[in-house]
Amino acid sequence: MESRPLRYFVAVAEELNFARAAERLGISAPPLSRAIRKLETELGVALFERSTHSVTLTAAGAELLAEARIALDALQAAQRRAQRAGSADPKLVLAIKADGHAGMLDAILARYEADPAARPVAIRLCEWGEQPQLLRRGEADVALVHEPFDRTGLDAEPLIAEPRIAALPATHPLAARETVTLAQLGLAAEPVHPTAFRRHLTPAARAHRVRDLSQVLTLVELGELIQVLPESVAARYSRPGIAYRPVPDAPPLTLAIAWPQQSRSRATAALVRAATSADGVVRTP
């Protein structure tokens, strides 16, 4: 199976409209429709249910969509990795969220540099939860990412489970307590992880369109919100206007190292070894 019919199929499956898919692909609708019909004939199954007013995926189409995305990502990733490997100064790309490494980054890189298989490292800073896609697209070789995350096509090893703390304005009544609970903070007793970051923001934080840790801490210091964060934040971001208090009933936040399943890179393997043996500044409870 060639990649072009798969790209055509994915476009139609995502748009569920042949005209919009054709526009997205830069072709006209008739050849797109013929290509999809040909693909269905080759596979011997219908991929779409078509009517005058709608296009929907069949069960076979839904299955192919999941596999086609993986296949196309793998092709794109292979191209990008080959281009990077053939550059004049090839580097190992490590994807991390700024402030999302539990204080372990320096220890990991120090151990890695001592490994004979080590290569120069380029740090790729990314948004919340972006690391898995960067790995699948070949834009990064390895990533530090908080669980849970989409592991499709990836291998991973947990590194550390951090307790959670509440960042409170220093003048907040709860700042006088040694510990606080999720109920006292007005948060649900459910797993708290990066994908839940915005869900747990206060209305004031949403009004400010908070996007990163520095904005969160500034708003806490101004007395406009409280936020549950990883314990390592307290050690790295001490501020006179913020009181950090343990939240014993908040689930710990697990940091993992992830890499593509198909990777055979000795440098990637060396970085994984360095990460799994590094001494973090935060101890697993």
Side-chain angles (χ1 to χ4, degrees), residues 195-215:
T195 58
F197 176 74
R198 291 175 180 83
R199 184 171 74 245
H200 289 298
L201 292 177
T202 64
R206 293 191 188 98
H208 283 279
R209 298 183 180 180
V210 166
R211 296 173 58 189
D212 56 39
L213 181 60
S214 65
Q215 292 176 334

Side-chain angles (χ1 to χ4, degrees), residues 55-164:
V55 176
T56 58
L57 280 168
T58 63
E63 184 69 22
L64 181 61
L65 178 58
E67 299 292 340
R69 283 170 169 160
I70 294 172
L72 293 174
D73 280 347
L75 286 172
Q76 192 175 55
Q79 178 183 354
R80 285 175 173 149
R81 290 195 178 95
Q83 289 170 338
R84 287 198 284 109
S87 66
D89 185 24
K91 290 182 171 62
L92 186 80
V93 179
L94 171 62
I96 61 172
K97 173 72 177 72
D99 303 307
H101 50 80
M104 295 185 68
L105 184 59
D106 288 345
I108 291 171
L109 293 180
R111 281 182 175 266
Y112 175 66
E113 288 171 3
D115 194 296
R119 293 206 315 253
V121 175
I123 301 296
R124 170 70 181 268
L125 296 178
C126 55
E127 298 296 326
W128 293 103
E130 188 183 7
Q131 299 96 316
Q133 266 307 100
L134 293 177
L135 292 173
R136 282 190 284 268
R137 292 199 303 254
E139 295 180 38
D141 300 294
V142 65
L144 296 179
V145 57
H146 286 104
E147 296 182 346
F149 60 92
D150 181 3
R151 294 189 177 220
T152 303
L154 306 177
D155 282 328
E157 287 286 342
L159 299 180
I160 195 167
E162 286 194 77
R164 311 308 296 273

Side-chain angles (χ1 to χ4, degrees), residues 7 19 24 31 65 86 91 97 111 138 144 151 169-170 188 199 233 237 239-240 243 253 264 273:
R7 287 194 296 106
R24 167 174 154 182
L65 178 58
K91 290 182 171 62
K97 173 72 177 72
R111 281 182 175 266
L144 296 179
R151 294 189 177 220
R199 184 171 74 245
V233 170
Y237 296 96
R239 297 193 182 192
L253 182 63
R264 298 295 180 269
R273 285 195 301 271

